[in-house]
Amino acid sequence: MGTKAAGGDADANAYISAITTAGGTLSGAEEAAIQTFFTDIKSSGIFSKAYAIYPFLGGVANSNKINAVNPGTYDLTFTGTWNHSVTGSYCASSNSNYADTGFNVSSSVADAESNLSFGGFGNSSHTSGYWGLNGGGGASTYLLLGDFNNNSEVYFGSLTTPGGTGGWNGGAAMIANRTSATSWESIILDSGSAATWPTPLNPNSTFTKANYTIYINGINNISGYNSGGEVTYAWITEGLSTSERNDILTYGNELMTAFNRNMFS
């Protein structure tokens, strides 16, 4: 088990302590990588916008669930059957299997236009599917990350018109990013480079803040929309600028690489 070095970033130290207290293990090199990650997301402005970042580190359920930016707040609740290891957290695709972030969009996002970014990585075991919520008030209350009939769809808004091409398959990342009612984007990277972005999708400008929490590997408040495989990194933040959006993937991938689970070539 690693021990946090003297000095370092206070928030990184708090996360490292939370991992080891939860029974997780870290090497000295891995702790150094966490320190670098925190330095990077703070210098880029991401940390101050983050509600939750989930790096799934430590190798056990109680460490993989931790919200790195504020341990104990919005930690994941794993429901159903999950396997946790040093490579991430895995479940089969099932209505019974999901991780609840505890983040309620209606009560937690103050901005009337739902200024929000939500995204994550899955490794080569991950199958196409959905993350997010359905507010139950019509299509405009969906917050989706996922795949529908082999068409990528990652966005706030209607389920009825998927955009993009190809499913969300192994080694991919997906992000829905909204900074105002008229400024938002949705992107899927399918085993590509974090530096090479496809054209963002803008299929629906309507998003109603729904009174449900966000799920990972499932959609809250609807059956039949779920996802299977291993999750390695996820986040919920305020809406991100273009450079911040690039950075949260780049720095996340660098952290994953330090743990021998890089997502991109």
Side-chain angles (χ1 to χ4, degrees):
M1 179 180 293
T3 57
K4 65 179 186 295
D9 179 88
D11 293 298
N13 287 342
Y15 178 48
I16 290 167
S17 291
I19 289 173
T20 56
T21 299
T25 58
L26 296 168
S27 69
E30 289 168 342
E31 290 186 10
I34 292 171
Q35 293 284 350
T36 298
F37 175 74
F38 272 79
T39 298
D40 288 339
I41 63 172
K42 286 187 174 184
S43 64
S44 67
I46 294 168
F47 183 87
S48 63
K49 291 186 174 183
Y51 298 108
I53 297 178
Y54 305 105
F56 294 85
L57 301 182
V60 297
N62 282 339
S63 64
N64 285 14
K65 75 178 185 180
I66 296 171
N67 170 14
V69 300
N70 191 4
T73 301
Y74 302 131
D75 287 351
L76 296 173
T77 299
F78 294 107
T79 297
T81 302
W82 287 78
N83 294 319
H84 307 280
S85 71
V86 295
T87 59
S89 293
Y90 172 90
C91 73
S93 181
S94 167
N95 289 332
S96 300
N97 298 335
Y98 56 87
D100 190 345
T101 66
F103 185 88
N104 184 297
V105 174
S106 180
S107 61
S108 301
V109 180
D111 189 284
E113 276 134 7
S114 298
N115 178 11
L116 191 67
S117 176
F118 173 44
F121 293 177
N123 74 4
S124 58
S125 75
H126 208 284
T127 58
S128 57
Y130 293 97
W131 300 6
L133 60 85
N134 165 32
S140 65
T141 62
Y142 277 94
L143 166 57
L144 289 176
L145 300 181
D147 170 82
F148 179 67
N149 291 343
N150 294 317
N151 288 297
S152 301
E153 54 177 350
V154 189
Y155 53 85
F156 303 91
S158 172
L159 174 65
T160 58
T161 311
T165 58
W168 180 50
N169 299 314
M174 54 186 181
I175 178 172
N177 187 43
R178 183 183 182 97
T179 55
S180 74
T182 58
S183 179
W184 69 289
E185 62 187 357
S186 306
I187 302 171
I188 280 186
L189 291 171
D190 212 356
S191 300
S193 167
T196 304
W197 289 90
T199 302
L201 309 177
N202 297 278
N204 192 327
S205 62
T206 302
F207 180 70
T208 303
K209 292 195 299 180
N211 190 28
Y212 291 91
T213 58
I214 295 172
Y215 283 0
I216 293 173
N217 271 16
I219 295 285
N220 195 350
N221 196 39
I222 189 170
S223 297
Y225 293 85
N226 40 61
S227 188
E230 191 164 51
V231 184
T232 60
Y233 178 67
W235 69 86
I236 307 169
T237 70
E238 296 176 9
L240 302 175
S241 69
T242 299
S243 62
E244 290 166 344
R245 170 257 276 168
N246 290 350
D247 285 343
I248 200 167
L249 287 211
T250 298
Y251 297 146
N253 187 54
E254 289 174 354
L255 180 63
M256 297 299 101
T257 299
F259 284 78
N260 296 311
R261 42 173 155 143
N262 52 302
M263 293 295 101
F264 304 108
S265 57

